[in-house]
Amino acid sequence: MSETLEVIEPATEAVLASFERAGAEEVDEAVARATEALPAWRAMTAGNRAALMRSLVQVMEDHHEELAQLEARNAGKPIASARGEIGMGIETFRYFSGAPEQPIGETIPADGGLALTVREPIGVVGLITPWNFPLTIACWKMAPALAAGNTVVLKPAELTPCTSVRFAELALEAGFPEGVVNVVVGPGSTVGRRLVEHPGVGKIAFTGSTEVGAEIAAGAAATIKRVTLELGGKSANIVFADADVGLAARSAPGGVFDNAGQDCCARSRILVERPVLDEFLSGLEAAVAQITVGDPLDESTTMGPLISAAHREQVASFLDDGETVAFSGTAPDGPGFWLAPTVLCPVDPGSRAATEEIFGPIASVIPFDGEEEAIRLANDTIYGLSGSVWTRDGARGLRVARAMESGNLSVNSNSSVRVTTPFGGFKRSGYGRELGPHALDAYTEVKTIYVRTEEE
Ligand code: NDP
């Protein structure tokens, strides 16, 4: 395939960059390069691999602003957010740069001898990433995969390949051997699919929609590939009447409108206990009025455009279902794929807005009565990625968080993603965990070696 891919800047609709679009053949070439690089990479001493990862951290830090500007323009995210996200990518490499030198197994008493376990790299790992946090999510996958001794072939979303391609250049600059980090820019339907089906790829780590995740799991089955999936969400933000309601209301926009709502963790269902509904809504309205939607490169911007015209249309369709708009913010006119942050209330829990992932700046407020109903509503979804509980009762906060069928919860906070803690979903939000100490499980095989010590 030798078509040209034009990458569009969502805030201006102008062409930001052009790439030669890869196809299945280029995937085969990348897998061949990654396979060739594998023996030396996995055999490298732990100290040398750790040192290379630290060198990459330094190079990324040197290019932090450049990467942030590129991400802000390509994905349409406010520059301040882009700086934070690239910073998290760097932190991810810093965190996993310690992994090569950590203990890698156990010794287990076994009849007549001793068994020991070691962790081995899987081999060539395929990484398929979405457009909403392009380089950050790629780093969540690459850092543990590389630390564990795998080589990688990364397929970024076609809408946002720029920082991933630049990253591959920086990895070489940091001293990574050729073939250890490979990036292939092309569509999911050909490049992604080939990576999933390729017999030389041992594992696929995917972040994206639940629909494509299901296709990937099915496609990987034929070669018994390992798969981890980080998929969609429809998370609940529960505000009890005994909470600091003002704080919950001020924080709510960050939980649902961050990245213009294009966030798998978006707490897009805000469940509010009926006695404090009016108080909460007036606090939320004031907070939404503070959101500045505009040019991602302007330092005062707090929300950018949506990623594409098609996505904007899909998100805006949720405003045509007849749900009551309680209030909304403002957004520029075109060019650019703008949509004002909008709060719907009261929303019927069975409606499309309350059940489907919107992945845009639309929040559904649903009133409830009592703890039991809050938990039932929160769990009434096929997803289970994130969520929050607001209450001044510490025991209730923990009790409700434990009752919620979701992988990442917070009490009196809308933040649930950290480099040092596991991240992943329950139910159709996926399986496997990224970040934190569990991430290495996703990129290694456990090998048991039994040594007989007693004589026959
Ligand atoms: P998609 O699932 O459409 O795409 C994700 C990636 O998969 C892209 O790189 C895409 O390629 C690729 N892809 C598409 N089809 C296939 C296929 N058949 N085989 C292999 N790869 C394929 O999601 P979006 O990028 O549109 O992101 C939005 C969705 O992702 C939302 O539903 C959101 O919830 C979810 N998401 C989940 C996250 C999480 O951590 N759980 C984080 C971010 C998003 P291309 O687009 O280039 O064709």
Side-chain angles (χ1 to χ4, degrees), residues 349-410:
S351 67
R352 202 165 74 97
T355 55
E356 292 184 17
E357 181 173 52
I358 298 178
F359 225 57
I362 300 175
S364 300
V365 176
I366 304 170
F368 71 87
D369 296 294
E371 195 173 306
E372 202 176 309
E373 188 182 17
I375 294 167
R376 186 178 55 71
L377 286 170
N379 289 339
D380 187 17
T381 168
I382 59 168
Y383 299 110
L385 189 58
S386 197
S388 297
V389 186
W390 295 81
T391 172
R392 284 195 175 95
D393 178 341
R396 168 184 259 180
L398 191 52
R399 183 170 65 240
V400 173
R402 291 210 62 194
M404 289 168 78
E405 298 160 351
S406 192
N408 298 83
L409 291 156
S410 47

Side-chain angles (χ1 to χ4, degrees), residues 34-121:
T35 305
E36 202 182 323
L38 186 63
W41 182 246
R42 69 191 297 172
M44 182 180 278
T45 65
N48 284 346
R49 200 179 311 135
L52 264 182
M53 292 192 58
R54 286 194 289 268
S55 153
L56 179 57
V57 168
Q58 185 57 55
V59 172
M60 287 179 81
E61 271 177 354
D62 295 344
H63 293 267
H64 192 152
E65 185 61 20
E66 176 205 334
L67 289 166
Q69 295 275 340
L70 195 54
E71 199 81 301
R73 292 184 67 186
N74 191 175
K77 50 183 77 225
I79 183 64
S81 308
R83 285 188 192 113
E85 288 169 24
I86 298 298
M88 190 187 199
I90 296 171
E91 278 314 303
T92 308
F93 268 93
R94 195 193 311 280
Y95 177 77
F96 285 106
S97 72
E101 294 175 302
Q102 292 299 307
I104 54 163
E106 307 130 317
T107 50
I108 304 171
D111 288 351
L114 202 61
L116 55 106
T117 62
V118 288
R119 284 188 175 271
E120 305 283 10

Side-chain angles (χ1 to χ4, degrees), residues 159-421:
L159 290 168
T160 55
C162 295
T163 47
S164 294
V165 171
R166 185 70 183 116
F167 174 90
E169 293 167 354
L170 296 179
L172 288 177
E173 195 178 315
F176 273 62
E178 294 265 357
V180 171
V181 176
N182 304 274
V183 178
V184 184
V185 177
S189 53
T190 52
V191 166
R193 179 168 294 200
R194 178 63 184 154
L195 208 46
V196 169
E197 291 173 354
H198 199 297
V201 174
K203 187 227 159 87
I204 294 288
F206 171 76
T207 297
S209 61
T210 293
E211 294 70 27
V212 172
E215 269 183 56
I216 286 177
T223 46
I224 319 289
K225 258 184 202 69
R226 284 83 184 110
V227 178
T228 45
L229 302 172
E230 302 291 346
L231 308 173
K234 189 71 192 174
S235 298
N237 184 6
I238 304 177
V239 182
F240 285 104
D242 63 5
D244 181 338
V245 176
L247 179 61
R250 283 196 301 284
S251 306
V256 57
F257 298 139
D258 184 43
N259 207 38
Q262 303 166 120
D263 183 345
C264 48
C265 288
R267 281 111 165 117
S268 54
R269 292 181 301 149
I270 308 179
L271 313 183
V272 185
E273 201 161 17
R274 216 172 288 271
V276 293
L277 180 62
D278 289 346
E279 182 189 351
F280 178 83
L281 283 174
S282 70
L284 180 58
E285 184 168 12
V288 168
Q290 301 289 315
I291 297 174
T292 309
V293 183
D295 177 4
L297 298 181
D298 185 327
E299 299 285 346
S300 64
T301 292
T302 53
M303 194 176 120
L306 299 188
I307 191 69
S308 66
H311 187 60
R312 186 197 174 283
E313 196 178 319
Q314 159 68 14
V315 171
S317 76
F318 284 87
L319 299 174
D320 301 332
D321 286 356
E323 301 295 339
T324 308
V325 173
F327 45 85
S328 57
T330 55
D333 296 327
F337 311 124
W338 308 100
L339 194 66
T342 302
V343 174
L344 307 175
C345 181
V347 173
D348 174 354
S351 67
R352 202 165 74 97
T355 55
E356 292 184 17
E357 181 173 52
I358 298 178
F359 225 57
I362 300 175
S364 300
V365 176
I366 304 170
F368 71 87
D369 296 294
E371 195 173 306
E372 202 176 309
E373 188 182 17
I375 294 167
R376 186 178 55 71
L377 286 170
N379 289 339
D380 187 17
T381 168
I382 59 168
Y383 299 110
L385 189 58
S386 197
S388 297
V389 186
W390 295 81
T391 172
R392 284 195 175 95
D393 178 341
R396 168 184 259 180
L398 191 52
R399 183 170 65 240
V400 173
R402 291 210 62 194
M404 289 168 78
E405 298 160 351
S406 192
N408 298 83
L409 291 156
S410 47
V411 178
N412 295 328
S413 162
N414 279 325
S415 135
S416 50
V417 183
R418 280 179 188 75
V419 171
T420 51
T421 56

